[in-house]
Amino acid sequence: MKLQRDDAGGDAVTKRATPHYKVIKRSISDAVKKGDLKPGDRIPSEAELVARFNVSRMTANRALRELQAAGVIVRHAGKGSFIAEPAPIGQLIEIRNIADEVRERGHAWRARVVRNDEERADAETAALLQVSLGTRLFHSVIVHHEDDLPIQLEERFVLASIAPEYGQRDFTRATPNEYLTRIAPIERVEHRVSATMPDEQTRTLLTLATDEPVLRMTRRTWSRGRLVSHAWLTHPGSRFELSAAFAIDDRC
Amino acid sequence: MKLQRDDAGGDAVTKRATPHYKVIKRSISDAVKKGDLKPGDRIPSEAELVARFNVSRMTANRALRELQAAGVIVRHAGKGSFIAEPAPIGQLIEIRNIADEVRERGHAWRARVVRNDEERADAETAALLQVSLGTRLFHSVIVHHEDDLPIQLEERFVLASIAPEYGQRDFTRATPNEYLTRIAPIERVEHRVSATMPDEQTRTLLTLATDEPVLRMTRRTWSRGRLVSHAWLTHPGSRFELSAAFAIDDRC
DNA sequence: GCCTGAAGATTGTATAGTCAACTGCGGTTG
DNA sequence: CAACCGCAGTTGACTATACAATCTTCAGGC
């Protein structure tokens, strides 16, 4: 007695039945969105879903397991499944690759390499990269343009041992970020964003007005257990915005 | 011929076997981290995993399906499974509730409510909330302190119809954000972050030095299909940083 | 040479059942 | 009364099998 994929409705609609596990997922996350189910509420057990939707337990299990992975519900063996507290930890903002972002807006991305030298870590840079004095580093300064308008100043320090060819790369074609993510699998990234007033050199390179503040992002990346790169990404406050949208639907 | 949960090793270790599907997931994501598998590489099919790990196809399927959900691999019926491109869209930054954040740092959170009035939408606010002129709104201005030091100015407009008690709430105890997320299920949130110079009132309320820039976050939230709140969250550039760390391990 | 169609590989979905581990409850026992 | 035991409900992990949809490959026919 096999279900033939059109069991639920039974009437018209021969086009394409939605999978059973998705039907169950939707029925629950819709109830959450409508407010019928609130955080802490108990939801039907797998056995009850088996009876109500006429599916096997594996199918009900898959629906609930995916809802748990999405953070919609929490489950506990022996007790049951319950609606989760709503995203207790705040929202997320997306940080993109500057070149992709510019191109996606339909503009041309251009980069001017101000410097790209190999040097030995002094007191300051050794602290930044958590290495000992004299460690070989690359130090690059690049200005990124959107249609000839400078929108990002990138100053970056990279461990020479992890990226020996960094000094020879042509960063007018692909960003250091693109190069580094390709040669070294990134294990961890840390971002910090703050608003400051630029120093004289930054003001010149980004052609800023005298009173214009900048949005400065500090990005550190780890690979194979080591901190491999430290970058300051500086944007004119007037010509750049970090932005992101987050929709609950993504979780269902 | 049932496997008794200690099949793999067979020798010591009676403590607690890791589930088979997790063993498979780790073996693949470890190979990605070590660099043995690179983006675009083909990984064993479900049938091959069945043979290699001596599990049923459903178990191999679960491992691969979860790796796909995590964005580690991409799968295509008829072709096979392949290592995904490395997070093609950038990293994510976390945006937290200001009160939680302050408390987590071990400091006291305090709020001063500068105003919290009901008003009718004028041209400017009607545009912000995408409503018609004269719609009833609440308009609140709150200064958040970390141990008596002002760290956030929150100016917020809220649809009165969705939160009729907003004007009576005591926001020195719980933030508007906490209140709103409790009474209305949030469907969508949009954030924009930029660096600007503050106006005179902002400078006064946050006790800023004359040349100090601010980090301004614009947050809009939707509930039940409507834009219900528009907020400007303004931080002194010198006393606040958005930050976030992202580890690949989270996906496995 | 080129189109067609069959076969095989691969993933997607689903069923039916098993054993294990955890939780809460009620009844039994000391 | 309190401690213990066992049972029912629940989730977690797994097996074995089945059929459908999609894609590749290759042989056969024109």
Side-chain angles (χ1 to χ4, degrees), chain B residues 42 75-82:
Chain B
R42 188 162 197 280
R75 317 188 68 197
H76 209 77
K79 297 207 298 194
S81 304
F82 307 84

Side-chain angles (χ1 to χ4, degrees), chain B residues 97 99-100 103 109 156 173-183:
Chain B
N97 180 299
D100 291 343
R103 289 196 199 100
W109 165 75
R156 185 183 288 270
R173 307 180 63 84
T175 64
N177 185 39
E178 284 170 327
Y179 170 63
L180 289 172
T181 55
R182 209 178 58 245
I183 64 156

Side-chain angles (χ1 to χ4, degrees), chain B residues 16-179:
Chain B
R16 174 175 293 277
T18 16
H20 294 156
Y21 77 94
K22 279 191 185 170
V23 172
I24 299 177
K25 283 176 73 178
R26 281 201 67 97
S27 84
I28 291 173
S29 53
D30 280 357
V32 173
K33 252 181 283 187
K34 282 204 306 178
D36 296 345
L37 287 173
K38 279 173 292 186
D41 284 0
R42 188 162 197 280
I43 64 171
S45 70
E46 296 184 358
E48 289 171 297
L49 292 173
V50 165
R52 189 182 308 179
F53 287 90
N54 194 32
V55 295
S56 78
R57 208 199 118 197
M58 279 301 288
T59 302
N61 176 269
R62 175 171 179 182
L64 296 189
R65 182 152 36 81
E66 292 188 1
L67 284 174
Q68 179 176 45
V72 177
I73 65 175
V74 291
R75 317 188 68 197
H76 209 77
K79 297 207 298 194
S81 304
F82 307 84
I83 304 296
E85 292 301 315
I89 323 191
Q91 305 310 330
L92 294 168
I93 239 181
E94 194 176 323
I95 297 185
R96 332 249 329 255
N97 180 299
I98 185 77
D100 291 343
E101 198 167 336
V102 168
R103 289 196 199 100
E104 234 170 70
R105 284 198 288 263
H107 296 147
W109 165 75
R110 290 195 192 86
R112 182 163 72 87
V113 179
V114 179
R115 59 175 292 182
N116 183 10
D117 310 315
E118 183 177 337
E119 58 186 41
R120 300 276 173 171
D122 61 15
E124 196 183 350
T125 52
L128 283 181
L129 282 171
Q130 303 172 356
V131 295
S132 47
L133 282 173
T135 305
R136 291 174 49 225
L137 311 172
F138 288 108
H139 178 191
S140 61
V141 174
I142 299 171
V143 184
H144 298 271
H145 298 76
E146 175 166 2
D147 284 342
D148 304 323
L149 197 63
I151 56 161
Q152 184 188 86
L153 173 65
E154 170 185 359
E155 177 165 20
R156 185 183 288 270
F157 297 92
V158 178
L159 264 195
S161 58
I162 205 96
E165 293 176 51
Y166 189 91
Q168 277 72 52
R169 300 291 304 179
D170 176 10
F171 291 128
T172 61
R173 307 180 63 84
T175 64
N177 185 39
E178 284 170 327
Y179 170 63

Side-chain angles (χ1 to χ4, degrees), chain A residues 4 14 36-37 45 59 78 84 96 104 141 148 158 185 201 204 224 239 249:
Chain A
Q4 215 60 322
T14 10
D36 296 346
L37 287 173
S45 70
T59 302
R96 333 243 337 249
E104 234 171 70
V141 174
D148 303 324
V158 178
Q201 195 200 7
T204 307
R224 295 188 239 273
R239 278 176 245 154
D249 298 322

